[in-house]
Amino acid sequence: MQFTTERCTLRPFRAEDMEAFMAYRNNLEWMRYQGFKGLSREQYENALLAPLSLAQGAQLAVTDRQTGTLLGDVYIQQDGDACWVGYTIAPQYARKGYAFEAVSGLIAQLKARGTVYLKAGAESGNAASIALLHKLGFTPLGEEDGERIFGLPLT
């Protein structure tokens, strides 16, 4: 899966993305609300450079469309007719609309592929992520394991 938005390209990860990816993913303060952090380069490469599998979960690089700079990543995992989505933007690119743009593009792609429902989770303290989910049209569904769960019908 690869597609572009106005400012971004979402594509599979490449080996040359690893340094920038590790810089924000291993920033434990920035990643306090996220999983998939604090791993070795080899662990990240094994997960990110493997063929994409929506059934097992896949991450796409979010890059600047003009420069190719890694801005962050999005996560997708198929769950029946639904997909779980997640997103992370590197701290130096935060609050510039990249997450909204990337996830909006992802929503359009998944809808075009026949996905009928999206789910996303955010820890209660992650106000920025919760605000983004509301802006994207997600509505609260409840809590699971200390995480607020949100849903978005695509039909």
Side-chain angles (χ1 to χ4, degrees):
M1 175 185 287
Q2 180 168 323
F3 60 93
T4 59
T5 64
E6 183 180 338
R7 299 179 296 162
C8 303
T9 297
L10 284 79
R11 59 162 174 76
F13 271 90
R14 301 175 184 153
E16 59 267 25
D17 299 322
M18 289 303 107
E19 288 300 320
F21 181 82
M22 288 179 64
Y24 68 86
R25 278 287 170 169
N26 288 343
N27 177 339
L28 299 184
E29 175 57 27
W30 181 249
M31 296 298 296
R32 68 187 170 277
Y33 297 118
Q34 297 278 346
F36 198 52
K37 61 186 173 193
L39 303 179
S40 70
R41 182 184 188 104
E42 181 180 3
Q43 289 170 308
Y44 284 131
E45 286 177 343
N46 288 340
L48 297 174
L49 301 180
L52 294 179
S53 167
L54 295 186
Q56 294 178 330
Q59 286 191 247
L60 296 173
V62 177
T63 63
D64 182 284
R65 193 170 170 183
Q66 300 300 316
T67 67
T69 302
L70 183 68
L71 306 170
D73 59 270
V74 295
Y75 176 79
I76 319 153
Q77 184 171 13
Q78 190 79 39
D79 183 11
D81 288 345
C83 276
W84 284 91
V85 296
Y87 42 86
T88 304
I89 297 296
Q92 65 269 37
Y93 305 111
R95 309 236 187 278
K96 295 182 168 120
Y98 290 118
F100 179 80
E101 184 175 329
V103 177
S104 292
L106 181 61
I107 290 169
Q109 290 291 313
L110 292 172
K111 184 175 182 177
R113 290 172 171 251
T115 302
V116 298
Y117 198 77
L118 295 181
K119 297 178 185 177
E123 286 193 27
S124 295
N126 192 347
S129 186
I130 291 169
L132 176 62
L133 289 170
H134 284 295
K135 184 176 178 181
L136 289 163
F138 284 78
T139 57
L141 300 176
E143 281 202 26
E144 284 181 26
D145 301 321
E147 188 173 55
R148 293 177 63 187
I149 305 300
F150 295 82
L152 178 67
L154 298 182
T155 54

